[in-house]
Amino acid sequence: MSISLNPPRPIMIVDDEASILLAIDTTLQMAGLNHTITCRDSRKVMGILAENLVETLLLDLNMPNLDGHRLLDDVRREYPDVPVIIVTGAVDVATAVRCIKAGAFDYIVKPVEADRLITAVNRAVAFQELKRENQSLRRHMLRDTLEHPEAFKRIITNNKKMLTLFQYVESIATTSQPVLIRGETGVGKELIARAIYQLSGLKGPFVAVNAAGLDDTVFSDTLFGHVKGAFTGADGPRGGLIERADGGTLFLDEIGDLTQPSQVKLLRLLQEGEYFPLGSDTPRLANVRIIAATNQRLAVLLNEGRFRKDLNYRLQTHRILIPPLRDRLDDIVPLFDHFLSEAASRLDRPIPPVPRELAALLTSYAYPGNVRELESMTFDALSRHRSGMLSLESFKAHIAREQSAPGSIPISSAADTRTPITFSHRLPTIKQATRLLVDEAMRRSGGNQSNAAAMLGVSQQALSKRLKHNPTDG
């Protein structure tokens, strides 16, 4: 198994004493910061920086040939984007103040404490990631185009909200921070997660797991693995999904369903970058990017005490909300065309002609199952098709079933989050209100009585009867 480098750009360590170089390098390696460059000759530093993009620089002050003070000035002048962390035996306040004023990112006193060193380096790495992310986001927003549209080729859309979301995805994809993707069932959360992974440049694999229904033991064993003898039947050690995703991305779907103990373990993984296999007291370092997803509203879970606030805070760095299909009406017809073509290919059938009324029918429905539901409707319709024009009946039957289901989303005005009906000071009579509804349904259906009847939840015969009466007042 190949070893992934963390961070992607190297940490440069400069000190004239070999023992100190080794100690600092070993401390970083043990903390999972394994991408380092060491240098004992301060005269070579500028040349190394000219040939390498460096994440941060750990610099000793008291060195022969070229002292750290002068080198700090040179680095800040030539490479101002490189954070410089001073590591020195000088403990006086005046030296520390002078270094900070000269542009040092942080100041550490020898002998170096491991926790202090790791904290300082992680802060510098996070600072660099945030800066690159801001630059990328600004670049994408100004250009209003995608640098890598191929990463989103599996997501069929013409919607402006989705294209803006893609730009944000491009801007955050290369950072190591966790991402939380929210959205209703069937909107394509895993497709967005895979796009992030594809754009990240990570060499390890993309590994997905659905956390719904996993108790704490199964969750821990699935993610962290176990050692021999951890429980009855554990005849040998087994690596978990974190080990399998080493150097890549771990996608945790439906994290809103995690138990409280599992949430604590996920929080530790995000905070410390380490985990414990079942039956082991020795932590292991995790080298994975975490992308989490949920179809639940975390605000509700927080208020009910079912989701930890500290875990929610850890997931706040990058948040993506995918709009439901009913808020992307311009995507429905392109998605239907795509799914019809895909279904024809899988079923080895020709693509049948489509009635003009179908577009109006499809765009009038709320899609509680979102894109996945539209795909299922399309495959079902083609599988039932025998000859001639594609029938509307299977679509109407599906819509009627969903509309009558408890808790269903109203199909009329589903894309509008405003109050669906507003009233003037004088209320209309029942007959007037009914006529207004019928007129609106006929307008939305393009005059097609069958589709209008489906929107209103009545039979075509009942609608036809109402159209004949055409009352004007109550």
Side-chain angles (χ1 to χ4, degrees):
M1 181 173 60
S2 61
I3 299 176
S4 300
L5 297 176
N6 179 41
R9 296 179 180 180
I11 301 163
M12 187 173 179
I13 312 167
V14 182
D15 199 299
D16 62 301
E17 296 185 43
S19 59
I20 293 179
L21 274 183
L22 178 61
I24 292 176
D25 191 26
T26 301
T27 300
L28 295 178
Q29 298 281 343
M30 292 180 65
L33 298 164
N34 61 355
H35 196 184
T36 60
I37 298 175
T38 59
C39 177
R40 290 185 61 189
D41 189 344
S42 57
R43 294 171 296 183
K44 297 181 180 179
V45 170
M46 299 305 290
I48 294 175
L49 290 175
E51 296 177 357
N52 298 271
L53 291 173
V54 172
E55 194 76 343
T56 187
L57 174 64
L58 297 170
L59 179 63
D60 184 25
L61 283 184
N62 299 314
M63 295 181 292
N65 301 314
L66 185 61
D67 69 76
H69 290 288
R70 180 178 168 186
L71 196 51
L72 173 61
D73 292 337
D74 292 345
V75 172
R76 295 304 302 156
R77 183 179 62 253
E78 299 293 333
Y79 304 98
D81 290 335
V82 177
V84 179
I85 301 173
I86 299 298
V87 184
T88 180
V91 296
D92 58 292
V93 175
T95 301
V97 170
R98 183 170 59 168
C99 290
I100 297 300
K101 283 186 175 180
F105 181 82
D106 207 339
Y107 186 95
I108 299 176
V109 177
K110 297 177 183 178
V112 177
E113 295 181 4
D115 289 345
R116 176 76 177 90
L117 174 67
I118 294 167
T119 298
V121 173
N122 280 331
R123 280 183 59 242
V125 171
F127 173 78
Q128 290 286 69
E129 286 187 347
L130 182 60
K131 186 164 59 176
R132 286 195 293 268
E133 178 191 324
N134 288 337
Q135 292 170 347
S136 177
L137 186 58
R138 188 181 304 114
R139 186 172 64 250
H140 281 88
M141 293 301 104
L142 289 175
R143 186 168 50 243
D144 198 31
T145 57
L146 296 175
E147 286 185 356
H148 302 283
E150 69 279 1
F152 307 97
K153 63 183 179 181
R154 296 181 61 192
I155 305 174
I156 309 301
T157 184
N158 292 323
N159 185 263
K160 180 64 176 176
K161 291 180 183 177
M162 292 295 289
L163 296 177
T164 300
L165 187 151
F166 292 170
Q167 290 178 318
Y168 179 68
V169 166
E170 282 193 334
S171 70
I172 67 169
T174 56
T175 73
S176 63
Q177 298 301 310
V179 180
L180 176 64
I181 304 173
R182 294 180 296 140
E184 296 178 6
T185 297
V187 293
K189 295 186 288 293
E190 184 168 342
L191 290 178
I192 292 294
R194 288 185 179 275
I196 295 172
Y197 165 71
Q198 184 176 337
L199 292 165
S200 70
L202 296 175
K203 303 301 182 184
F206 178 93
V207 177
V209 59
N210 192 316
L214 299 183
D215 62 29
D216 181 56
T217 300
V218 175
F219 173 81
S220 300
D221 191 30
T222 301
L223 260 65
F224 309 141
H226 61 255
V227 298
K228 182 179 180 180
F231 50 83
T232 303
D235 298 328
R238 184 179 76 87
L241 296 184
I242 292 177
E243 183 177 314
R244 187 188 304 175
D246 182 66
T249 296
L250 179 64
F251 175 57
L252 295 173
D253 200 4
E254 305 306 346
I255 61 160
D257 293 330
L258 287 178
T259 64
Q260 288 285 337
S262 295
Q263 290 179 34
V264 172
K265 292 173 182 176
L266 178 57
L267 177 63
R268 178 179 179 83
L269 176 66
L270 292 171
Q271 284 183 333
E272 309 298 333
E274 61 183 28
Y275 64 97
F276 291 89
L278 285 177
S280 174
D281 295 328
T282 304
R284 295 184 183 177
L285 293 174
N287 182 25
V288 293
R289 169 84 172 278
I290 301 293
I291 301 179
T294 181
N295 64 7
Q296 301 190 55
R297 295 179 60 189
L298 291 185
V300 174
L301 299 183
L302 288 166
N303 290 334
E304 295 175 351
R306 293 162 53 198
F307 200 80
R308 294 180 62 93
K309 290 183 178 180
D310 44 8
L311 178 56
N312 182 54
Y313 293 144
R314 288 296 303 177
L315 293 169
Q316 278 186 341
T317 308
H318 301 309
R319 292 200 169 196
I320 294 171
L321 176 61
I322 305 176
L325 186 56
R326 62 182 173 275
D327 289 347
R328 297 153 42 196
L329 296 181
D330 49 343
D331 280 347
I332 291 176
V333 172
L335 280 166
F336 167 76
D337 291 341
H338 170 75
F339 292 141
L340 184 62
S341 175
E342 196 174 64
S345 176
R346 290 191 190 180
L347 298 173
D348 194 23
R349 295 184 180 182
I351 299 176
V354 176
R356 289 182 301 172
E357 303 91 337
L358 182 59
L361 178 64
L362 293 178
T363 53
S364 70
Y365 179 52
Y367 298 97
N370 290 287
V371 178
R372 192 179 301 147
E373 184 180 6
L374 176 58
E375 179 182 19
S376 176
M377 290 170 63
T378 307
F379 269 73
D380 181 60
L382 188 61
S383 66
R384 296 171 183 270
H385 177 71
R386 292 297 174 262
S387 63
M389 189 167 288
L390 185 67
S391 173
L392 298 177
E393 294 311 310
S394 65
F395 294 99
K396 291 179 180 178
H398 178 95
I399 291 172
R401 286 194 303 270
E402 291 299 321
Q403 187 180 7
S404 61
S408 63
I409 301 171
I411 61 174
S412 61
S413 196
D416 199 336
T417 57
R418 300 169 296 179
T419 303
I421 300 177
T422 57
F423 299 101
S424 61
H425 178 69
R426 180 180 177 274
L427 290 176
T429 65
I430 295 295
K431 288 184 178 180
Q432 288 172 337
T434 300
R435 184 61 202 182
L436 290 171
L437 280 173
V438 169
D439 288 346
E440 179 65 12
M442 290 296 291
R443 183 186 67 80
R444 294 188 181 200
S445 66
N448 184 283
Q449 289 189 25
S450 179
N451 289 350
M455 293 181 198
L456 295 170
V458 298
S459 67
Q460 186 174 346
Q461 292 79 5
L463 176 61
S464 179
K465 184 177 179 181
R466 289 187 180 277
L467 287 170
K468 290 178 182 178
H469 287 81
N470 192 20
T472 57
D473 57 39

